[in-house]
Amino acid sequence: MSKTDTTDTTDAPDASSAPGDEAAGADLSTAPKEETLGGPTLGVVGWVRWFWRQLTSMRVALILLFLLSLGAVPGSLIPQSSADEMKVADFKKAHEALTPLYEKLQLFDVYSSVWFSAIYILLFVSLIGCIVPRTWQFVGQLRGLPPGAPKRLTRLPAYTTWRTEAAPEEVHEAALAVLKGRRFRARTAGDAVAAEKGYLREAGNLLFHLALIVMLVAFAWGQLFKSEGGKLVVEGDGFSNTLTQYDDFKSGSQFAVDELEPFNFTLDSFTGTYEKSGPQRGTPRTFEAAVTYTQGDGADKKAVIRVNEPLKLGDSKVYLIAHGYAPVVTVKDRQGKVVFNGAVPLLPIDNNITSTGAIKVMDGYRDKNGDKEQLGFKAFFVPTFAGAGKGSMFSQFPALDFPVMALTGYHGNLRVDSGLPQNVYQLDTSKMTQFKVDGGTGVAQRMVPGETMTLPDGAGSITFEKDIKEWASFQVSQQPGNGLALSGAVAAIAGLTGSLFIQRRRIWVRAVRGEDGTTVVEMAGLGRSESAKLPEELADLAVALTAQAPQAPEPAEAEAEASEGVEK
């Protein structure tokens, strides 16, 4: 080839190009065209158009997306009323100076606040306003034909030329075959072949933005119609999916209680095994809950729920999220009558399931004068005790190898009838008197399964039974927008990949008869953005085309060959 220029210095012909050169680079993108509106001539309509163009620009969409993610930060750091009103109340008590400011800024209700909703809606409108015109423009490009070749192909960033003895029509025909074989859309336009490729770049760009809208819709749908509740269930006990059965429950503003999936289940057993030695000692190896469940009016079925393997019941999923122990205790009054008997769930405070909790006897007990009185016990439980005199009373291993429980007793008023919410795992001793007991510390006694602690002055007794049950905590979640959000995320990744790695480019092949009778072939390429691949692709196409339109000898070489022939 007599001339090769593959420098890639510009996206389009420069300002000095002829009109045909400028047309060659048109419509390589579906981005809205910028219009300059003079300030003094702007009226109401002009300002509305200017605002709409700014709102639907990609720059503003990215800014709004950043603001949306930034606005979600306080929603993650500050307790939200929709999630846990108790935590919000505790936060307000602990930060009395900040509370008025946070309330004015709606930081306790971030996701339903005016400012967060405004960002959300503006982002939604911006994306739609950006996508709709670009989609119609892209459809028009798909229906159109590759533009004709510019007058000066030498001005394009990738260019090459050579001379051939093949006729221009033969070169055009060969060029069409080569380009179509490389999946270019090609046609003959005047004295050149025009071809275009890389439409999937714009398709990926549009798919990415459409996927963002899908994810926004899924997020809004999920927040409005979601429900999520937690329930602690002891072995042998059951749960029915009704609002009154939950320990805690939160839902979206549009969720109706009658939308709860009708099902119930019983926790048959919980199985937990742990690594016994090595650096991972105490790490759970088996963590599963065996349940018997019924969905609607159906028959009983068996299932095993594991971590990250929820039980799917209609639109609801039942997740296993926590585990602990529930020692069985029996409390008797002065006459030896049983006033309480049952398993008491205790909450773990470390990885070895050292647990604390409260035992409350609210009815059936009377003092020595025959008056109604309530009993309460603070419980501290370790599944594996290190032994007396071997450090503090903390569990050495999560399994029930050497269970021990320490109890501290109180009598008086538990204040459960005060009308104020009370944590079932904590004991309010403000209206109670502590028992003094023989042994232990004088106020608390350490017990192993089967032992009984006798209360002073014949007040009764409490027995730590040999049966220690296990409990599992479940989360019942109903998230209607999860599948849509996942589809949107996958589509966004696919669209972004196409937008980043596919290049929109155009190729022209011009073949004209030269003054000496040979055909001059010119090839040039133009891409939407700078890329080293465009010159490489043009060179590859040129090699493929020269196989059918080989390079002719230069005039000097032809004369030399002719002279050699005459001498011979």
PDB file of all heavy atoms in Angstrom, residues 402-422:
ATOM      1  N   PHE A 402     -20.913 -28.477  79.624  1.00  0.00           N
ATOM      2  CA  PHE A 402     -20.964 -28.354  81.087  1.00  0.00           C
ATOM      3  C   PHE A 402     -21.854 -27.160  81.420  1.00  0.00           C
ATOM      4  O   PHE A 402     -21.396 -26.105  81.821  1.00  0.00           O
ATOM      5  CB  PHE A 402     -19.560 -28.165  81.650  1.00  0.00           C
ATOM      6  CG  PHE A 402     -19.474 -28.141  83.148  1.00  0.00           C
ATOM      7  CD1 PHE A 402     -20.563 -28.441  83.970  1.00  0.00           C
ATOM      8  CD2 PHE A 402     -18.267 -27.815  83.773  1.00  0.00           C
ATOM      9  CE1 PHE A 402     -20.477 -28.415  85.332  1.00  0.00           C
ATOM     10  CE2 PHE A 402     -18.165 -27.791  85.148  1.00  0.00           C
ATOM     11  CZ  PHE A 402     -19.277 -28.090  85.928  1.00  0.00           C
ATOM     12  N   PRO A 403     -23.200 -27.320  81.256  1.00  0.00           N
ATOM     13  CA  PRO A 403     -24.103 -26.180  81.461  1.00  0.00           C
ATOM     14  C   PRO A 403     -24.226 -25.788  82.931  1.00  0.00           C
ATOM     15  O   PRO A 403     -24.376 -26.640  83.806  1.00  0.00           O
ATOM     16  CB  PRO A 403     -25.436 -26.689  80.912  1.00  0.00           C
ATOM     17  CG  PRO A 403     -25.355 -28.175  81.021  1.00  0.00           C
ATOM     18  CD  PRO A 403     -23.921 -28.534  80.822  1.00  0.00           C
ATOM     19  N   VAL A 404     -24.157 -24.492  83.176  1.00  0.00           N
ATOM     20  CA  VAL A 404     -24.304 -23.921  84.521  1.00  0.00           C
ATOM     21  C   VAL A 404     -25.107 -22.636  84.397  1.00  0.00           C
ATOM     22  O   VAL A 404     -24.935 -21.878  83.438  1.00  0.00           O
ATOM     23  CB  VAL A 404     -22.929 -23.644  85.161  1.00  0.00           C
ATOM     24  CG1 VAL A 404     -23.095 -22.870  86.460  1.00  0.00           C
ATOM     25  CG2 VAL A 404     -22.180 -24.938  85.417  1.00  0.00           C
ATOM     26  N   MET A 405     -25.987 -22.396  85.378  1.00  0.00           N
ATOM     27  CA  MET A 405     -26.787 -21.166  85.381  1.00  0.00           C
ATOM     28  C   MET A 405     -26.725 -20.520  86.751  1.00  0.00           C
ATOM     29  O   MET A 405     -26.870 -21.198  87.780  1.00  0.00           O
ATOM     30  CB  MET A 405     -28.241 -21.472  85.004  1.00  0.00           C
ATOM     31  CG  MET A 405     -29.122 -20.230  84.938  1.00  0.00           C
ATOM     32  SD  MET A 405     -30.731 -20.514  84.138  1.00  0.00           S
ATOM     33  CE  MET A 405     -31.435 -21.789  85.177  1.00  0.00           C
ATOM     34  N   ALA A 406     -26.499 -19.230  86.773  1.00  0.00           N
ATOM     35  CA  ALA A 406     -26.505 -18.453  88.009  1.00  0.00           C
ATOM     36  C   ALA A 406     -27.795 -17.649  88.077  1.00  0.00           C
ATOM     37  O   ALA A 406     -28.173 -16.984  87.094  1.00  0.00           O
ATOM     38  CB  ALA A 406     -25.301 -17.531  88.064  1.00  0.00           C
ATOM     39  N   LEU A 407     -28.489 -17.710  89.224  1.00  0.00           N
ATOM     40  CA  LEU A 407     -29.781 -17.037  89.400  1.00  0.00           C
ATOM     41  C   LEU A 407     -29.721 -16.054  90.558  1.00  0.00           C
ATOM     42  O   LEU A 407     -29.147 -16.350  91.609  1.00  0.00           O
ATOM     43  CB  LEU A 407     -30.892 -18.056  89.649  1.00  0.00           C
ATOM     44  CG  LEU A 407     -31.261 -18.987  88.487  1.00  0.00           C
ATOM     45  CD1 LEU A 407     -32.290 -20.015  88.934  1.00  0.00           C
ATOM     46  CD2 LEU A 407     -31.789 -18.197  87.306  1.00  0.00           C
ATOM     47  N   THR A 408     -30.332 -14.904  90.349  1.00  0.00           N
ATOM     48  CA  THR A 408     -30.498 -13.901  91.394  1.00  0.00           C
ATOM     49  C   THR A 408     -31.985 -13.610  91.507  1.00  0.00           C
ATOM     50  O   THR A 408     -32.614 -13.201  90.510  1.00  0.00           O
ATOM     51  CB  THR A 408     -29.728 -12.612  91.056  1.00  0.00           C
ATOM     52  OG1 THR A 408     -28.351 -12.925  90.851  1.00  0.00           O
ATOM     53  CG2 THR A 408     -29.847 -11.599  92.184  1.00  0.00           C
ATOM     54  N   GLY A 409     -32.593 -13.824  92.696  1.00  0.00           N
ATOM     55  CA  GLY A 409     -34.040 -13.711  92.857  1.00  0.00           C
ATOM     56  C   GLY A 409     -34.501 -12.396  93.449  1.00  0.00           C
ATOM     57  O   GLY A 409     -33.795 -11.768  94.252  1.00  0.00           O
ATOM     58  N   TYR A 410     -35.720 -11.994  93.052  1.00  0.00           N
ATOM     59  CA  TYR A 410     -36.351 -10.780  93.550  1.00  0.00           C
ATOM     60  C   TYR A 410     -37.829 -11.067  93.803  1.00  0.00           C
ATOM     61  O   TYR A 410     -38.425 -11.943  93.176  1.00  0.00           O
ATOM     62  CB  TYR A 410     -36.230  -9.633  92.545  1.00  0.00           C
ATOM     63  CG  TYR A 410     -34.813  -9.198  92.238  1.00  0.00           C
ATOM     64  CD1 TYR A 410     -34.041  -9.885  91.294  1.00  0.00           C
ATOM     65  CD2 TYR A 410     -34.256  -8.102  92.878  1.00  0.00           C
ATOM     66  CE1 TYR A 410     -32.751  -9.487  91.007  1.00  0.00           C
ATOM     67  CE2 TYR A 410     -32.957  -7.690  92.582  1.00  0.00           C
ATOM     68  CZ  TYR A 410     -32.214  -8.381  91.657  1.00  0.00           C
ATOM     69  OH  TYR A 410     -30.938  -7.995  91.374  1.00  0.00           O
ATOM     70  N   HIS A 411     -38.431 -10.268  94.710  1.00  0.00           N
ATOM     71  CA  HIS A 411     -39.876 -10.365  94.913  1.00  0.00           C
ATOM     72  C   HIS A 411     -40.428  -8.961  95.056  1.00  0.00           C
ATOM     73  O   HIS A 411     -39.750  -8.044  95.537  1.00  0.00           O
ATOM     74  CB  HIS A 411     -40.197 -11.221  96.161  1.00  0.00           C
ATOM     75  CG  HIS A 411     -39.665 -10.642  97.439  1.00  0.00           C
ATOM     76  ND1 HIS A 411     -40.438  -9.912  98.309  1.00  0.00           N
ATOM     77  CD2 HIS A 411     -38.411 -10.699  97.984  1.00  0.00           C
ATOM     78  CE1 HIS A 411     -39.713  -9.536  99.352  1.00  0.00           C
ATOM     79  NE2 HIS A 411     -38.461 -10.012  99.172  1.00  0.00           N
ATOM     80  N   GLY A 412     -41.674  -8.779  94.635  1.00  0.00           N
ATOM     81  CA  GLY A 412     -42.289  -7.462  94.672  1.00  0.00           C
ATOM     82  C   GLY A 412     -43.186  -7.249  93.471  1.00  0.00           C
ATOM     83  O   GLY A 412     -43.985  -8.124  93.102  1.00  0.00           O
ATOM     84  N   ASN A 413     -43.029  -6.096  92.789  1.00  0.00           N
ATOM     85  CA  ASN A 413     -43.865  -5.714  91.650  1.00  0.00           C
ATOM     86  C   ASN A 413     -42.986  -5.625  90.394  1.00  0.00           C
ATOM     87  O   ASN A 413     -42.079  -4.811  90.312  1.00  0.00           O
ATOM     88  CB  ASN A 413     -44.531  -4.362  91.927  1.00  0.00           C
ATOM     89  CG  ASN A 413     -45.475  -3.944  90.805  1.00  0.00           C
ATOM     90  OD1 ASN A 413     -45.684  -4.677  89.840  1.00  0.00           O
ATOM     91  ND2 ASN A 413     -46.055  -2.759  90.939  1.00  0.00           N
ATOM     92  N   LEU A 414     -43.291  -6.458  89.416  1.00  0.00           N
ATOM     93  CA  LEU A 414     -42.521  -6.459  88.168  1.00  0.00           C
ATOM     94  C   LEU A 414     -42.845  -5.270  87.261  1.00  0.00           C
ATOM     95  O   LEU A 414     -42.153  -5.036  86.277  1.00  0.00           O
ATOM     96  CB  LEU A 414     -42.802  -7.748  87.382  1.00  0.00           C
ATOM     97  CG  LEU A 414     -42.255  -9.047  87.981  1.00  0.00           C
ATOM     98  CD1 LEU A 414     -42.809 -10.248  87.224  1.00  0.00           C
ATOM     99  CD2 LEU A 414     -40.738  -9.057  87.915  1.00  0.00           C
ATOM    100  N   ARG A 415     -43.900  -4.555  87.558  1.00  0.00           N
ATOM    101  CA  ARG A 415     -44.338  -3.384  86.789  1.00  0.00           C
ATOM    102  C   ARG A 415     -44.737  -3.749  85.358  1.00  0.00           C
ATOM    103  O   ARG A 415     -44.635  -2.940  84.441  1.00  0.00           O
ATOM    104  CB  ARG A 415     -43.261  -2.294  86.769  1.00  0.00           C
ATOM    105  CG  ARG A 415     -42.842  -1.809  88.148  1.00  0.00           C
ATOM    106  CD  ARG A 415     -41.983  -0.577  88.052  1.00  0.00           C
ATOM    107  NE  ARG A 415     -42.759   0.551  87.520  1.00  0.00           N
ATOM    108  CZ  ARG A 415     -42.218   1.731  87.199  1.00  0.00           C
ATOM    109  NH1 ARG A 415     -40.913   1.899  87.313  1.00  0.00           N
ATOM    110  NH2 ARG A 415     -42.975   2.695  86.729  1.00  0.00           N
ATOM    111  N   VAL A 416     -45.201  -4.974  85.181  1.00  0.00           N
ATOM    112  CA  VAL A 416     -45.654  -5.380  83.839  1.00  0.00           C
ATOM    113  C   VAL A 416     -47.033  -4.823  83.529  1.00  0.00           C
ATOM    114  O   VAL A 416     -47.470  -4.835  82.372  1.00  0.00           O
ATOM    115  CB  VAL A 416     -45.662  -6.913  83.709  1.00  0.00           C
ATOM    116  CG1 VAL A 416     -44.252  -7.457  83.776  1.00  0.00           C
ATOM    117  CG2 VAL A 416     -46.550  -7.545  84.785  1.00  0.00           C
ATOM    118  N   ASP A 417     -47.738  -4.348  84.556  1.00  0.00           N
ATOM    119  CA  ASP A 417     -49.080  -3.807  84.352  1.00  0.00           C
ATOM    120  C   ASP A 417     -49.084  -2.284  84.333  1.00  0.00           C
ATOM    121  O   ASP A 417     -50.142  -1.662  84.446  1.00  0.00           O
ATOM    122  CB  ASP A 417     -50.017  -4.301  85.470  1.00  0.00           C
ATOM    123  CG  ASP A 417     -50.108  -5.818  85.513  1.00  0.00           C
ATOM    124  OD1 ASP A 417     -50.085  -6.424  84.424  1.00  0.00           O
ATOM    125  OD2 ASP A 417     -50.171  -6.392  86.617  1.00  0.00           O
ATOM    126  N   SER A 418     -47.904  -1.663  84.190  1.00  0.00           N
ATOM    127  CA  SER A 418     -47.824  -0.202  84.224  1.00  0.00           C
ATOM    128  C   SER A 418     -48.264   0.449  82.913  1.00  0.00           C
ATOM    129  O   SER A 418     -48.471   1.659  82.865  1.00  0.00           O
ATOM    130  CB  SER A 418     -46.396   0.232  84.547  1.00  0.00           C
ATOM    131  OG  SER A 418     -45.503  -0.197  83.525  1.00  0.00           O
ATOM    132  N   GLY A 419     -48.393  -0.343  81.870  1.00  0.00           N
ATOM    133  CA  GLY A 419     -48.765   0.205  80.566  1.00  0.00           C
ATOM    134  C   GLY A 419     -47.585   0.619  79.724  1.00  0.00           C
ATOM    135  O   GLY A 419     -47.759   0.977  78.553  1.00  0.00           O
ATOM    136  N   LEU A 420     -46.392   0.584  80.300  1.00  0.00           N
ATOM    137  CA  LEU A 420     -45.196   0.935  79.554  1.00  0.00           C
ATOM    138  C   LEU A 420     -44.585  -0.313  78.930  1.00  0.00           C
ATOM    139  O   LEU A 420     -44.607  -1.383  79.536  1.00  0.00           O
ATOM    140  CB  LEU A 420     -44.163   1.602  80.479  1.00  0.00           C
ATOM    141  CG  LEU A 420     -44.600   2.918  81.138  1.00  0.00           C
ATOM    142  CD1 LEU A 420     -43.527   3.396  82.104  1.00  0.00           C
ATOM    143  CD2 LEU A 420     -44.871   3.985  80.074  1.00  0.00           C
ATOM    144  N   PRO A 421     -44.052  -0.204  77.697  1.00  0.00           N
ATOM    145  CA  PRO A 421     -43.425  -1.376  77.076  1.00  0.00           C
ATOM    146  C   PRO A 421     -42.218  -1.838  77.884  1.00  0.00           C
ATOM    147  O   PRO A 421     -41.466  -1.016  78.424  1.00  0.00           O
ATOM    148  CB  PRO A 421     -43.018  -0.871  75.687  1.00  0.00           C
ATOM    149  CG  PRO A 421     -42.944   0.616  75.812  1.00  0.00           C
ATOM    150  CD  PRO A 421     -43.974   0.993  76.828  1.00  0.00           C
ATOM    151  N   GLN A 422     -42.040  -3.158  77.957  1.00  0.00           N
ATOM    152  CA  GLN A 422     -40.974  -3.709  78.785  1.00  0.00           C
ATOM    153  C   GLN A 422     -40.289  -4.842  78.023  1.00  0.00           C
ATOM    154  O   GLN A 422     -40.951  -5.675  77.397  1.00  0.00           O
ATOM    155  CB  GLN A 422     -41.555  -4.218  80.111  1.00  0.00           C
ATOM    156  CG  GLN A 422     -40.499  -4.595  81.133  1.00  0.00           C
ATOM    157  CD  GLN A 422     -41.112  -5.023  82.453  1.00  0.00           C
ATOM    158  OE1 GLN A 422     -41.226  -6.214  82.734  1.00  0.00           O
ATOM    159  NE2 GLN A 422     -41.532  -4.055  83.261  1.00  0.00           N
TER     160      GLN A 422
END
